[in-house]
Amino acid sequence: MPTPCDVVVLLSGTGSNLQALIDSTQGGDNPARIRAVISNRADAYGLQRARDAGIEARVLDHKGFEGREAFDTALMALIDEFSPKLVVLAGFMRILSADFVRHYQGRLLNIHPSLLPKYKGLHTHQRALDAGDREHGCSVHFVTEELDGGPLVVQAVVAVELADTAQSLAQRVHGQEHQIYPLAMRWFAEGRLSLGEQGAILDGQPLPASGHLIRP
Ligand code: GRF
């Protein structure tokens, strides 16, 4: 068994990605070990998922802080209680300060529901439909100071159907998110994935700008 890789997951909502990450660690040969789940919202269902899996669940409500810096400083202190090698953002609906991002440089991953660099920000499924895109998907990337702009690790492509609504498309993209996030976490935990000067590195080779691309 390789050395365990302690992970802290941050979320604000349902946590279906968290569930996929938890499930992926149940097999026994995955070195990723989710030590804690932290939410800025006490009512996030993801916290229940963590408790159900016997994982420590903590709440740090941003409303109790004056400004982003103060909240992020407290958040860093809470995360660091668990000494994680990796911090995973799984639907954490907060913009992070530059200090926070720098503190976890090279060990902070995010998942975004579009084929980045397309559709940074919100309402990605509707925007892909409005643009008439034939393909949509999701991306895992290292987090840098540029919002949704860090080096890509892996992307999954989803074909857009003529009858798709934002909801039906979101559902299929979500299905792919649940495949690629556990994959990226595992690569990192196994020491195969890192952030280099020029971008993401997998097994000693620089990944292409799109990251590892998975097509249907
Ligand atoms: C996902 O769509 C993810 O791409 C985005 O936030 C959403 C979280 O969904 N960053 P869930 O809470 O994991 O179901």
Side-chain angles (χ1 to χ4, degrees):
M1 183 70 189
T3 332
C5 171
D6 286 344
V7 179
V8 168
V9 178
L10 307 187
L11 52 72
S12 306
T14 315
S16 69
N17 277 287
L18 167 70
Q19 191 64 56
L21 295 169
I22 291 172
D23 293 348
S24 76
T25 61
Q26 307 289 308
D29 63 342
N30 189 337
R33 188 169 66 177
I34 302 174
R35 287 289 318 280
V37 172
I38 301 172
S39 173
N40 62 316
R41 297 183 53 130
D43 61 355
Y45 182 62
L47 292 168
Q48 190 57 44
R49 293 182 192 269
R51 289 186 206 106
D52 289 346
I55 296 168
E56 185 137 359
R58 299 281 194 94
V59 177
L60 190 70
D61 189 342
H62 60 274
K63 292 198 288 298
F65 293 85
E66 284 230 357
R68 193 178 305 290
E69 265 71 28
F71 173 72
D72 282 7
T73 301
L75 183 58
M76 283 189 261
L78 179 55
I79 294 170
D80 290 347
E81 280 181 31
F82 301 94
S83 309
K85 284 192 186 148
L86 176 67
V87 177
V88 169
L89 305 176
F92 188 58
M93 300 305 281
R94 298 272 312 164
I95 292 175
L96 298 164
S97 61
D99 277 355
F100 185 99
V101 172
R102 263 185 245 123
H103 184 69
Y104 298 105
Q105 168 92 6
R107 53 193 182 110
L108 183 58
L109 291 176
N110 184 41
I111 189 155
H112 184 77
S114 77
L115 294 174
L116 290 170
K118 274 189 159 183
Y119 313 130
K120 298 175 179 179
L122 298 174
H123 311 300
T124 57
H125 311 299
Q126 190 58 53
R127 287 157 69 197
L129 288 175
D130 291 348
D133 291 356
R134 306 286 298 275
E135 290 186 331
H136 184 46
C138 47
S139 310
V140 175
H141 64 94
F142 280 104
V143 177
T144 60
E145 287 175 49
E146 190 193 339
L147 183 69
D148 297 329
L152 289 162
V153 173
V154 51
Q155 295 193 309
V157 176
V158 169
V160 179
E161 311 288 343
L162 271 178
D164 263 329
T165 61
Q167 209 180 4
S168 65
L169 193 52
Q171 206 174 5
R172 292 207 307 290
V173 170
H174 242 112
Q176 289 306 308
E177 291 182 28
H178 301 159
Q179 304 298 316
I180 65 174
Y181 221 1
L183 182 66
M185 178 175 76
R186 186 178 181 131
W187 283 343
F188 189 95
E190 290 174 340
R192 297 174 57 191
L193 173 69
S194 62
L195 180 62
E197 299 263 307
Q198 311 295 328
I201 296 172
L202 182 64
D203 295 331
Q205 300 295 322
L207 278 163
S210 65
H212 178 83
L213 199 59
I214 297 174
R215 293 193 159 276

